[in-house]
Amino acid sequence: MLKFISVGLALFLLLASPLPSQVSNVFPYDHKVEELENGLKVVSIPLPNPSIISYYTIVRSGSRNEVEPGKSGFAHFFEHMMFKGTKKVPREAYDEFLTRLGAGTNGYTTDDFTCYFIVFAGRENLEKVVETEADRFINLYYDEEMLKTEAPVIEGEYYASVSSPDRRLSELLRDTAFDEHSYKHTTLGYLK
């Protein structure tokens, strides 16, 4: 009980005391965080270049969520599939839409999350970008042939990666360091 009270008191003192000024300067930009009814958090950061918009979608799912022994690399594979389009906006239409905007888009997968982003010009295009991205996240469409087409691309990415001595060392270190945790495998997973 005494331990509980002292932890509570320490927490109270920490929260009650003013924080050092550098903590407030960690992120120097004004920003706004809104949580929608469905739990989605929207973070807006207005910058001095109002015509350029960077739109990020961060999904809290990465290779750490691959917990079945012998099965790895699926989060990264799925990231690739997210660019295949939907029935409403097939890949060709998605690419054409981005080209019309002069937009750049990509994604990446980490141990802990997957990030997708689009950088484009024109605030007037934001609503259409949000609508298109929502469609992609809700109505993603791919078939077996698309999976077969993308698999060699990902396999090539794996071979290119492990040809680097640093990458190979990292893969061996993680395999040795972790017995149970899914950090044992890299985001690309093991070829086997």
Side-chain angles (χ1 to χ4, degrees):
M1 181 69 170
L2 185 57
K3 183 178 176 184
F4 177 78
I5 292 171
S6 53
V7 169
L9 181 59
L11 184 59
F12 172 77
L13 291 174
L14 178 66
L15 294 174
S17 60
L19 295 173
S21 62
Q22 62 257 66
V23 171
S24 63
N25 293 328
V26 169
F27 191 76
Y29 303 104
D30 290 334
H31 62 283
K32 181 180 176 184
V33 179
E34 297 176 73
E35 187 165 344
L36 304 181
E37 288 179 17
N38 64 3
L40 181 69
K41 286 188 181 175
V42 178
V43 181
S44 305
I45 307 165
L47 296 174
N49 51 349
S51 295
I52 304 297
I53 297 175
S54 297
Y55 182 89
Y56 284 74
T57 303
I58 300 171
V59 180
R60 289 184 178 175
S61 181
S63 60
R64 72 162 183 219
N65 301 98
E66 300 164 355
V67 296
E68 292 180 64
K71 297 189 179 187
S72 59
F74 288 101
H76 177 246
F77 200 117
F78 189 74
E79 171 217 317
H80 278 244
M81 298 311 294
M82 283 294 293
F83 291 93
K84 297 299 181 187
T86 68
K87 289 190 177 185
K88 179 180 173 185
V89 184
R91 168 122 193 211
E92 297 77 22
Y94 182 73
D95 290 345
E96 184 181 307
F97 167 67
L98 295 174
T99 300
R100 276 196 322 270
L101 294 181
T105 186
N106 211 334
Y108 59 90
T109 304
T110 71
D111 290 333
D112 301 312
F113 64 89
T114 304
C115 178
Y116 304 90
F117 59 89
I118 300 176
V119 179
F120 60 97
R123 187 174 206 67
E124 69 278 4
N125 296 315
L126 179 59
E127 187 174 335
K128 185 66 177 166
V129 167
V130 171
E131 178 186 312
T132 304
E133 287 300 277
D135 179 51
R136 180 166 76 131
F137 277 83
I138 295 169
N139 301 309
L140 179 64
Y141 173 78
Y142 54 88
D143 57 24
E144 189 174 341
E145 190 56 40
M146 291 175 181
L147 288 168
K148 288 178 181 177
T149 304
E150 201 62 32
V153 173
I154 295 166
E155 184 179 23
E157 199 174 330
Y158 176 84
Y159 282 125
S161 176
V162 295
S163 66
S164 161
D166 290 344
R167 179 61 187 209
R168 184 70 184 126
L169 181 61
S170 173
E171 188 177 273
L172 290 171
L173 178 64
R174 290 171 72 142
D175 187 39
T176 303
F178 296 98
D179 288 327
E180 300 296 323
H181 199 284
S182 56
Y183 285 171
K184 182 175 187 67
H185 60 266
T186 64
T187 303
L188 287 173
Y190 295 122
L191 190 58
K192 62 184 177 193

